[in-house]
């Protein structure tokens, strides 16, 4: 027996009461109105069929009642929506599909039934079947905004990026969110082209993305990576540097590939100047540790340790402390001191593992890695580094 139906009788009580009021109001005080009495009796008989899991009988009866009195369409829709919310999508689909077939509906009523049917299919995970009701809505001219949003959702889940972009363009929304989302879709296409070895097409797509959204950090990252693959190091460095103006919170995500390019060019002094400048304007532990590594390469462990200690005095962090312990372990001679340092090192590692570094500004989803689309709410561009976690 379906787990829905032991509770369905209680769930339908408000609907039944409302229906009884509706029928009484429609009949007024004319108790002899046979038609109203028959409809009311049949309607409650239909509810009884549902409670007893005789769904086919119930739907046939409701369809007959709808043919006799088209004004019952709202009640019919409400019943289908109730099924969907209770998790019985097959019954919701059946009810809404039968409703759409009725010849007594006007365009607005048919559109509302199509919208509910599309939602039923989405809830059931039948994306291919959900598409057509939403396309029909656009043709009818009702609930177009809802239809476009659902279609964008369908196409991005199916990775049909061109169709998703087309739907966003047809919405004719001129807000920044739409432009930023389209830029992400273009970046998805660019990633596909790059993985297929077509760097020219990938570069062209990120150019389009940046035209849509000049602040698209992901597009700039991809463009820099392509330039690096082409061994155009100077141009790649300049691309990475642009991210400081686009959104400085993403600097920790590009600092390592940027330094790799700098070091290939061999300008060690320029690296330390750049990192020191970043630390002043956009302090973060990732930048600090990169600067410590550079000082260590240029001047040795002792200089790096002193530099790190001075920085931690003004901005302490767990990752910074772990790096300081590592530097001290290099020249700790006493066994007891080394044992204590190892214990502290393990503790700092555990503290870092327990804390996520990124969080969605929309739903609060937390992650240890950067996601361009939030796995929690599926919104784009909402995952950001958590300020204060590990010193970022």
């Amino acid at each position: 027996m379906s787990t829905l139906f032991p509770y369905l009788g209680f769930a339908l009580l408000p609907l039944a009461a409302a229906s009884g009021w509706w029928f009484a109001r429609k009949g007024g005080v004319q108790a002899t109105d046979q038609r109203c009495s028959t409809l009311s009796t049949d309607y409650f008989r239909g509810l009884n069929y549902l409670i007893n899991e005789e769904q086919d009988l119930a739907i046939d009866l409701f369809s007959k009642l709808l043919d006799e009195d088209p004004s019952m369409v709202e009640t019919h829709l409400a019943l289908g929506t109730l099924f969907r919310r209770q998790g019985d999508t097959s019954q919701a689909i059946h009810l809404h599909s039968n409703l759409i077939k009725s010849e007594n509906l006007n365009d607005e009523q048919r559109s509302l039934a199509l919208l509910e049917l599309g939602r039923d299919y989405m809830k059931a995970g039948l994306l291919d079947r959900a598409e057509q009701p939403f396309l029909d809505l656009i043709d009818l001219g009702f609930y177009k905004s809802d239809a476009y949003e659902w279609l964008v959702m369908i196409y991005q889940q199916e990775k049909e990026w061109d169709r998703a972009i087309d739907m966003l363009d047809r919405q004719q929304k001129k807000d920044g969110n739409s432009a930023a989302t389209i830029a992400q879709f273009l970046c998805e296409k660019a990633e596909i082209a790059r993985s297929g070895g077509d760097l020219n097409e990938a570069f062209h797509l990120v150019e389009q993305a940046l035209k849509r959204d000049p602040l698209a950090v992901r597009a700039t990252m991809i463009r820099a990576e392509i330039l690096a693959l082409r061994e155009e190091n100077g141009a790649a460095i300049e691309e990475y540097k642009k991210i400081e103006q686009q959104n400085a919170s993403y600097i920790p995500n590009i600092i390592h590939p940027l330094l790799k390019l700098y070091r290939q060019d061999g300008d060690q002094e320029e690296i330390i100047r750049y990192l020191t400048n970043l630390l002043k304007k956009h302090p973060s532990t990732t930048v600090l540790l990169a600067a410590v590594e550079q000082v260590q390469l240029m001047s040795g462990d002792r200089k790096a340790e002193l530099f790190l200690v001075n920085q931690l005095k003004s901005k302490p962090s767990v990752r910074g402390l772990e790096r300081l312990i590592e530097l001290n372990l290099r020249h700790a001679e006493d066994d007891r001191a080394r044992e204590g340092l190892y214990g502290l090192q393990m503790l700092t590692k555990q503290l870092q593992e327990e804390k996520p570094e990124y969080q969605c500004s929309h739903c609060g989803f937390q992650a240890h890695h950067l996601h361009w689309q939030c796995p929690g709410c599926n919104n784009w561009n909402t995952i950001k580094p958590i300020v204060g976690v590990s010193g970022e």
Side-chain angles (χ1 to χ4, degrees), residues 168-295:
L168 282 174
D169 278 335
R170 288 172 65 182
Q171 276 184 284
Q172 296 183 334
K173 284 185 177 180
K174 300 303 180 184
D175 57 67
N177 287 336
S178 292
T181 302
I182 289 173
Q184 286 288 351
F185 293 167
L186 289 165
C187 286
E188 290 287 336
K189 291 185 65 180
E191 296 280 17
I192 293 169
R194 179 170 61 169
S195 65
D198 193 344
L199 296 184
N200 290 333
E201 176 63 10
F203 198 86
H204 173 67
L205 287 164
V206 293
E207 289 285 309
Q208 290 184 35
L210 286 164
K211 287 179 181 177
R212 295 278 192 163
D213 178 20
L215 299 179
V217 169
R218 183 184 184 186
T220 301
M221 285 184 183
I222 296 173
R223 188 159 64 174
E225 290 162 3
I226 292 172
L227 289 167
L229 287 171
R230 292 174 174 172
E231 298 184 349
E232 299 178 42
N233 288 5
I237 287 170
E238 292 306 311
E239 284 300 310
Y240 278 128
K241 283 185 173 182
K242 289 177 183 178
I243 290 169
E244 182 182 351
Q245 280 70 50
Q246 288 178 312
N247 191 329
S249 65
Y250 287 99
I251 289 174
N253 296 93
I254 55 92
I255 200 70
H256 293 298
L258 175 58
L259 292 185
K260 181 180 178 181
L261 292 169
Y262 258 131
R263 285 167 183 157
Q264 287 175 0
D265 284 355
D267 193 344
Q268 302 298 320
E269 293 295 335
E270 171 60 22
I271 295 174
I272 198 63
R273 281 195 297 271
Y274 175 69
L275 291 172
T276 303
N277 187 44
L278 275 184
L279 275 176
K280 291 177 181 177
K281 294 190 295 182
H282 310 290
S284 80
T285 303
T286 299
V287 175
L288 170 60
L289 296 183
V292 170
E293 182 182 337
Q294 186 60 29
V295 172

Side-chain angles (χ1 to χ4, degrees), residues 184 217-218 221 225 243 247 249-254 356-360 365-375 380-386:
Q184 286 288 351
V217 169
R218 183 184 184 186
M221 285 184 183
E225 290 162 3
I243 290 169
N247 191 329
S249 65
Y250 287 99
I251 289 174
N253 296 93
I254 55 92
E357 296 181 37
Y358 300 91
Q359 185 169 16
C360 176
F365 178 88
Q366 295 184 331
H368 290 282
H369 305 285
L370 176 62
H371 299 271
W372 296 109
Q373 183 183 25
C374 175
W380 296 88
N381 299 309
T382 55
I383 297 281
K384 307 290 183 185
I386 301 174

Side-chain angles (χ1 to χ4, degrees), residues 34-81:
Q34 186 63 38
R35 179 170 172 274
C36 180
S37 177
T38 301
L39 283 172
S40 182
T41 301
D42 286 346
Y43 190 79
F44 282 101
R45 187 152 54 92
L47 292 179
N48 189 57
Y49 284 146
L50 289 174
I51 292 169
N52 290 311
E53 298 192 61
E54 297 177 278
Q55 294 97 314
D56 291 337
L57 288 173
I59 289 170
D60 288 343
L61 183 55
F62 284 131
S63 298
K64 174 187 171 185
L65 290 175
L66 183 65
D67 290 337
E68 293 177 4
D69 193 340
S71 60
M72 286 185 61
V73 63
E74 286 80 9
T75 307
H76 211 77
L77 281 165
L79 188 61
T81 303

